[in-house]
């Protein structure tokens, strides 16, 4: 593996961990498209599977009341694990460059939702059906793109969940869907030696990024970091679209 890519990978993982630690979410949404600019989306996902689990576990524990949140959201999480496994199988069999467009589309939805406050009244009008939809569809999207935050944010906002619940749901879904993804990747022999090595090496970088991110969370307004995140995500999504169309 080239030294240049290793340096870029370490920088992306560090920046994503820093942002995630400071605002409570964003690692997968930041790291996946950034790494996908230098490789295919399946490889990008496998490279950050274990770091994603570590980041989300730390975030869950830092928010507290792990078992209470798990008890509240276990059904959505279970559905999302199933959906994620389905999405991962699709990713393995097709691994199309056009999945990058789906990833860019999800990012644009997130940015648009946060900008104009898109209302999704059908969620509050049909909470049971919405729970099934978020679980299965959100899981498939997570399996294909490693990003599901826009869907969980819309769901929790419409049902009037607290900020803590929103963060806990996003992190719990990511943690357990990544466990399911690893199982699928291992079963199909798609979890490569390079992914294992990068995962092991990234632990130190992730730890440093989270450490400083959690420190920043206590002293700096999170809105500042969210603005930075949005600008970076917009740029990355545009690059993914251009790169895929010109492929």
């Amino acid at each position: 593996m080239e030294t240049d890519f290793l340096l870029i990978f370490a920088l992306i993982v560090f920046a994503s961990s820093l942002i995630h630690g400071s605002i409570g979410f964003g690692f997968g949404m930041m790291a996946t498209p950034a790494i996908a600019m230098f490789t295919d989306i399946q490889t990008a996902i496998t490279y950050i599977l274990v770091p994603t689990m570590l980041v989300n576990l730390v975030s869950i524990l830092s928010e507290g009341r792990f078992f209470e949140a798990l008890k509240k959201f276990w059904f959505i999480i279970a559905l999302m694990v199933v959906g994620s496994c389905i999405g991962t199988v699709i990713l393995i069999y097709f691994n199309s460059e056009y999945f990058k467009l789906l990833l860019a589309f999800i990012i644009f939805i997130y940015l648009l939702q946060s900008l104009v406050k898109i209302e999704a009244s059908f969620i509050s009008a049909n909470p049971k059906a919405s729970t099934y939809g978020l679980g299965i569809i959100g899981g498939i999207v997570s399996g294909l793109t490693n990003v599901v935050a826009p869907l969980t944010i819309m769901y929790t906002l419409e049902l009037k969940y607290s900020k803590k619940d929103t963060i806990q749901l996003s992190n719990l879904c990511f943690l357990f869907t990544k466990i399911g993804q690893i199982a699928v990747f291992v079963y199909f022999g798609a979890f490569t030696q390079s992914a294992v090595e990068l995962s092991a090496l990234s632990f130190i970088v992730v730890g440093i990024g989270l450490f400083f991110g959690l420190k920043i969370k206590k002293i700096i307004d999170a809105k500042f970091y969210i603005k930075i995140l949005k600008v970076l995500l917009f740029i990355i999504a545009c690059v993914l679209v251009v790169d895929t169309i010109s492929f």
Side-chain angles (χ1 to χ4, degrees):
M1 191 171 296
E2 295 182 0
T3 303
D4 289 346
F5 177 77
L6 289 175
L7 292 174
I8 292 171
F9 177 82
L11 181 60
I12 291 172
V13 169
F14 174 77
S16 302
S17 303
L18 186 72
I19 292 173
H20 191 110
S22 63
I23 65 176
F25 68 94
F27 181 84
M29 190 160 52
M30 184 73 198
T32 308
I35 296 172
M37 291 191 297
F38 303 96
T39 182
D40 62 89
I41 194 165
Q42 179 180 317
T43 302
I45 291 175
T46 58
Y47 280 177
I48 62 169
L49 263 178
V50 177
T52 301
M53 292 173 62
L54 174 62
V55 167
N56 283 280
L57 181 60
V58 171
S59 294
I60 290 167
L61 295 177
S62 68
E63 289 293 329
R65 298 184 178 181
F66 169 79
F67 291 105
E68 182 180 320
L70 190 60
K71 183 179 180 180
K72 181 183 291 187
F73 296 120
W74 72 268
F75 187 61
I76 298 176
I77 295 168
L79 289 174
M80 198 165 285
V81 170
V82 173
S84 177
C85 290
I86 295 171
T88 304
V89 171
I90 295 172
L91 178 65
I92 291 172
Y93 271 97
F94 296 100
N95 194 23
S96 171
E97 284 291 309
Y98 290 104
F99 288 147
K100 291 183 180 181
L101 290 180
L102 176 61
L103 177 55
F105 177 70
I106 296 297
I107 294 172
F108 285 134
I109 288 179
Y110 167 72
L111 295 175
L112 183 62
Q113 183 275 330
S114 62
L115 180 65
V116 300
K117 305 298 181 184
I118 297 173
E119 293 187 3
S121 56
F122 63 88
I123 293 177
S124 55
N126 304 280
K128 188 173 182 179
S130 298
T131 298
Y132 280 95
L134 173 67
I136 299 299
I137 297 174
I140 292 173
V141 170
S142 178
L144 287 171
T145 67
N146 210 34
V147 173
V148 74
L151 300 180
T152 57
I153 289 172
M154 290 176 67
Y155 176 84
T156 53
L157 285 178
E158 193 64 33
L159 293 181
K160 311 300 182 185
Y161 281 110
S162 66
K163 179 182 178 182
K164 180 182 285 288
D165 281 337
T166 300
I167 293 174
Q168 286 289 54
L169 176 60
S170 295
N171 283 303
L172 283 168
C173 286
F174 258 84
L175 177 63
F176 285 96
T177 55
K178 295 312 108 180
I179 294 173
Q181 265 196 317
I182 287 178
V184 173
F185 278 131
V186 170
Y187 178 80
F188 284 97
F191 199 60
T192 64
Q193 182 65 29
S194 296
V196 175
E197 292 173 354
L198 276 179
S199 295
L201 291 173
S202 64
F203 265 59
I204 297 176
V205 179
V206 168
I208 295 172
L210 282 176
F211 175 80
F212 286 106
L214 292 172
K215 293 288 185 182
I216 290 171
K217 185 179 182 180
K218 298 177 181 179
I219 60 175
I220 295 182
D221 185 4
K223 292 181 180 179
F224 173 72
Y225 277 91
I226 291 176
K227 289 180 180 178
I228 294 175
L229 174 66
K230 289 177 181 178
V231 171
L232 291 174
L233 283 173
F234 179 77
I235 294 172
I236 291 170
C238 290
V239 171
L240 286 176
V241 172
V242 173
D243 182 59
T244 304
I245 292 175
S246 61
F247 174 72

